[in-house]
Amino acid sequence: EAGVTQFPSHSVIEKGQTVTLRCDPISGHDNLYWYRRVMGKEIKFLLHFVKESKQDESGMPNNRFLAERTGGTYSTLKVQPAELEDSGVYFCASSPLAGVYNEQFFGPGTRLTVL
Amino acid sequence: AQSVTQLGSHVSVSEGALVLLRCNYSSSVPPYLFWYVQYPNQGLQLLLKYTTGATLVKGINGFEAEFKKSETSFHLTKPSAHMSDAAEYFCAVSEWTSGTYKYIFGTGTRLKVLA
């Protein structure tokens, strides 16, 4: 069974440009999460999809970030326009269930560098 | 809101020595605690989790952790380190806010194993 995949693995862009990150969850997993880790700090929750619906987007930093999950399969996270403080590693995770002790399966992350 | 503290961003041990990675949590409700590991170029992988019941939890690769409510701790241990244990380890607590369960992570501990 394929794990969670993320594309690209690395992205380097200039401040003010747009970047789109993609996440393909494990097949059949209705729950999809985005997290972000700024260098040296903790991994922080951004948002949670259940199928194609946003269940919780309380962690999204501001309106420059837009997440979508068309058809309840893969998800994209767009940053427009990118700022220096958006640099970090963006992780995607998926799970079949969304209970308090249900494991989330993580992808390897996308390292975003904004210059 | 819950929080997780991992003492020591970097820990070095000799091969064959005891591994001890510290995690303390802050929670007003019974916590659900997790340890994840990230090997280079891979996603986070679940090592073990505590939900209820037995306070000593055994995980994969010989790791275990003990939940101590009185000390609000969930330290990760392994009796004998292997070179393959070199990785970054994350402690997390599952929290219900804004209509969903999400992980609250510590800042991570990078384990180095010396030959």
Side-chain angles (χ1 to χ4, degrees), chain A:
Chain A
E1 180 184 88
V4 176
T5 58
Q6 294 186 244
F7 182 83
S9 56
H10 293 82
S11 180
V12 181
I13 61 172
E14 300 276 339
K15 175 182 172 182
Q17 289 185 323
T18 297
V19 63
T20 300
L21 314 181
R22 173 170 170 145
C23 168
D24 286 80
I26 294 172
S27 178
H29 283 195
D30 287 340
N31 296 277
L32 187 148
Y33 306 81
W34 284 98
Y35 291 84
R36 177 176 74 172
R37 187 185 191 196
V38 172
M39 185 180 293
K41 299 203 172 180
E42 68 272 28
I43 300 170
K44 282 193 172 182
F45 169 84
L46 296 179
L47 87 160
H48 171 209
F49 283 100
V50 178
K51 297 185 179 179
E52 66 275 9
S53 299
K54 291 176 186 174
Q55 180 75 14
D56 178 6
E57 52 183 335
S58 62
M60 295 286 264
N62 50 59
N63 59 11
R64 295 185 294 103
F65 289 75
L66 175 63
E68 295 180 323
R69 191 182 183 194
T70 307
T73 54
Y74 71 91
S75 175
T76 58
L77 180 64
K78 181 191 288 188
V79 185
Q80 179 182 28
E83 299 288 346
L84 299 179
E85 63 265 25
D86 300 333
S87 295
V89 180
Y90 290 76
F91 292 100
C92 176
S94 71
S95 67
L97 299 172
V100 65
Y101 45 77
N102 289 121
E103 177 184 359
Q104 295 178 23
F105 297 83
F106 283 78
T110 292
R111 182 174 296 278
L112 174 64
T113 302
V114 182
L115 302 176

Side-chain angles (χ1 to χ4, degrees), chain A residues 37 48 56 100-101 104, chain B residues 36 49 88 94 100 102 107:
Chain A
R37 187 185 191 196
H48 171 209
D56 178 6
V100 65
Y101 45 77
Q104 295 178 23
Chain B
Y36 276 84
K49 63 182 178 183
E88 192 160 20
S94 182
T100 193
K102 58 183 68 74
T107 50

Side-chain angles (χ1 to χ4, degrees), chain B residues 30-65:
Chain B
Y32 295 91
L33 296 156
F34 301 76
W35 274 101
Y36 276 84
V37 60
Q38 185 182 24
Y39 298 104
N41 301 315
Q42 296 185 27
L44 278 72
Q45 178 183 0
L46 182 67
L47 273 177
L48 49 80
K49 63 182 178 183
Y50 169 77
T51 54
T52 58
T55 57
L56 182 62
V57 181
K58 294 187 183 300
I60 61 172
N61 302 336
F63 283 93
E64 61 183 35

Side-chain angles (χ1 to χ4, degrees), chain B:
Chain B
Q2 300 181 73
S3 64
V4 174
T5 301
Q6 290 184 244
L7 288 178
S9 58
H10 292 80
V11 170
S12 294
V13 299
S14 298
E15 191 174 20
L18 171 72
V19 175
L20 170 61
L21 304 182
R22 299 178 186 275
C23 173
N24 288 86
Y25 67 90
S26 169
S27 174
S28 59
V29 298
Y32 295 91
L33 296 156
F34 301 76
W35 274 101
Y36 276 84
V37 60
Q38 185 182 24
Y39 298 104
N41 301 315
Q42 296 185 27
L44 278 72
Q45 178 183 0
L46 182 67
L47 273 177
L48 49 80
K49 63 182 178 183
Y50 169 77
T51 54
T52 58
T55 57
L56 182 62
V57 181
K58 294 187 183 300
I60 61 172
N61 302 336
F63 283 93
E64 61 183 35
E66 186 172 10
F67 171 63
K68 292 187 177 181
K69 185 178 178 180
S70 61
E71 298 178 8
T72 61
S73 69
F74 191 56
H75 301 333
L76 182 70
T77 60
K78 182 174 180 178
S80 176
H82 295 163
M83 298 298 290
S84 59
D85 295 327
E88 192 160 20
Y89 293 78
F90 296 92
C91 182
V93 63
S94 182
E95 177 180 76
W96 171 267
T97 57
S98 302
T100 193
Y101 287 108
K102 58 183 68 74
Y103 288 142
I104 307 299
F105 284 95
T107 50
T109 297
R110 189 170 295 278
L111 176 67
K112 185 175 182 179
V113 182
L114 306 172

